[in-house]
Amino acid sequence: MKAFNFNQWSQTHLATIEMALDDAVPAYAPAGLGDAMRYAVLDGGKRLRPLLVLASMEASAAGQQVAWMEDAAMRAACAVELIHAYSLVHDDMPCMDNDVLRRGKPTVHVKFGQAQALLAGDALQSLAFECLTPDDSDIPDAVQTKLCALLARGAGHAGMAGGQAIDLASVGVALDAEALRHMHRCKTGALLETSVLMGAVSGDASSRAYQALQSFAQALGLAFQVVDDILDVTADSAVLGKTSGKDAADNKPTYVSLLGLAGARQEAKALADQAQAALIKSALPNTQALRALTDWVLHRQH
């Protein structure tokens, strides 16, 4: 069997994702809104969530994908990245994290002003659901409905937005391990889980595969956040692309503050191992990309 080339796989998909996002985000939105939207989305970011969508679709379809599956997965990949981008725009604003650096460049509110940043985030959120519901498509209506429901749930009060609310309410509060885990399952993990599940729906996954991929995604989402907390302590802002050390400066609870640096690294490794075990349990034959993405999450430097 030919060895899986993750670099080739990711570079090929990243190029396609960038083209799709460039097509999706309009420059013609009125009064400079399009410029702010495109600034928030294009030319930066790891694109982990879109890559998870595509990898999950490929694993679920097991080589049987048809044209609508590929279309659904790419639309889902763009939609989840638009939601992620909108969340970063709003997170960085003075009323929340008050950050000035994102993806190695000034944050959207610094570049365009707070009002335009707020509107850009709102517009990106709406655009995500436009991507999932094209006027003329072979994607089955039931699949479009499921994709919209997953994204709405992952981004809403029970997911990302709820997690951010907990985060803001937890400044200066000593959370225990379970409370911290719950916050990050919502704030960070929910959208990563959504990405994997949208890929599973796009690939018409069996019930068994869907459940295994959900377990995989839940472990991966927490691993991602633990590594994020580690990098906030250990990485330089120029490498990280955002302000490092900000969690400690803002007195926010993190895995490092709870477990220590060595303990947080052990936790990240244990969670990555759980994710890999879930992929084995799925019995899917084509999980190489998901495995490689798990390794990347564990060992990333930014």
Side-chain angles (χ1 to χ4, degrees), residues 34-278:
D35 293 335
M37 292 169 68
R38 291 176 68 82
Y39 182 88
V41 176
L42 304 178
D43 302 322
K46 297 176 283 291
R47 310 304 192 208
L48 172 62
R49 291 154 190 82
L51 289 173
L52 283 170
V53 174
L54 300 181
S56 180
M57 183 277 289
E58 292 173 2
S60 300
Q64 302 302 310
Q65 64 257 41
V66 294
W68 73 258
M69 291 182 180
E70 296 179 353
D71 187 20
M74 185 54 66
R75 289 180 175 280
C78 288
V80 76
E81 187 66 11
L82 293 173
I83 291 290
H84 177 55
Y86 118 73
S87 76
L88 298 182
V89 173
H90 284 189
D91 277 3
D92 289 336
M93 292 182 67
C95 60
M96 289 212 262
D97 287 352
N98 193 23
D99 217 332
V100 298
L101 186 67
R102 173 70 67 178
R103 293 175 172 173
K105 59 186 182 181
T107 48
V108 176
H109 73 272
V110 171
K111 177 80 171 178
F112 295 92
Q114 292 186 49
Q116 194 78 312
L118 184 66
L119 290 171
D122 291 344
L124 290 171
Q125 183 185 49
S126 298
L127 183 60
F129 291 95
E130 287 187 51
C131 286
L132 294 177
T133 53
D135 291 332
D136 184 17
S137 172
D138 292 331
I139 303 170
D141 290 346
V143 171
Q144 293 186 46
T145 300
K146 181 65 173 176
L147 292 174
C148 286
L150 282 169
L151 189 57
R153 192 174 302 118
H157 70 89
M160 181 183 68
Q164 179 69 1
I166 297 170
D167 187 39
L168 292 171
S170 300
V171 174
V173 177
L175 299 182
D176 62 21
E178 184 52 42
L180 186 63
R181 193 174 296 117
H182 173 66
M183 178 177 77
H184 288 310
R185 278 195 186 114
C186 297
K187 182 185 176 185
T188 304
L191 206 57
L192 289 168
E193 180 180 345
T194 294
S195 302
V196 174
L197 295 183
M198 290 174 82
V201 169
S202 299
D204 197 23
S206 67
S207 177
R208 174 184 175 181
Y210 187 94
Q211 291 175 8
L213 288 170
Q214 186 170 34
S215 296
F216 159 79
Q218 289 170 349
L220 183 71
L222 284 176
F224 182 91
Q225 183 58 53
V226 177
V227 173
D228 216 48
D229 287 353
I230 292 168
L231 290 174
D232 188 67
V233 174
T234 62
D236 181 81
S237 295
V239 176
L240 200 55
K242 58 183 180 180
T243 308
S244 63
K246 202 162 188 308
D247 288 339
D250 292 343
N251 200 22
K252 285 189 174 184
T254 69
Y255 282 97
V256 174
S257 66
L258 181 67
L259 303 175
L261 190 56
R265 284 174 170 150
Q266 290 175 357
E267 181 71 4
K269 176 64 166 60
L271 287 164
D273 288 345
Q274 287 179 31
Q276 299 285 19

Side-chain angles (χ1 to χ4, degrees), residues 16-28 38 42 78 127:
T16 306
I17 290 164
E18 292 306 314
M19 286 190 293
L21 287 170
D22 186 60
D23 287 342
V25 186
Y28 56 78
R38 291 176 68 82
L42 304 178
C78 288
L127 183 60

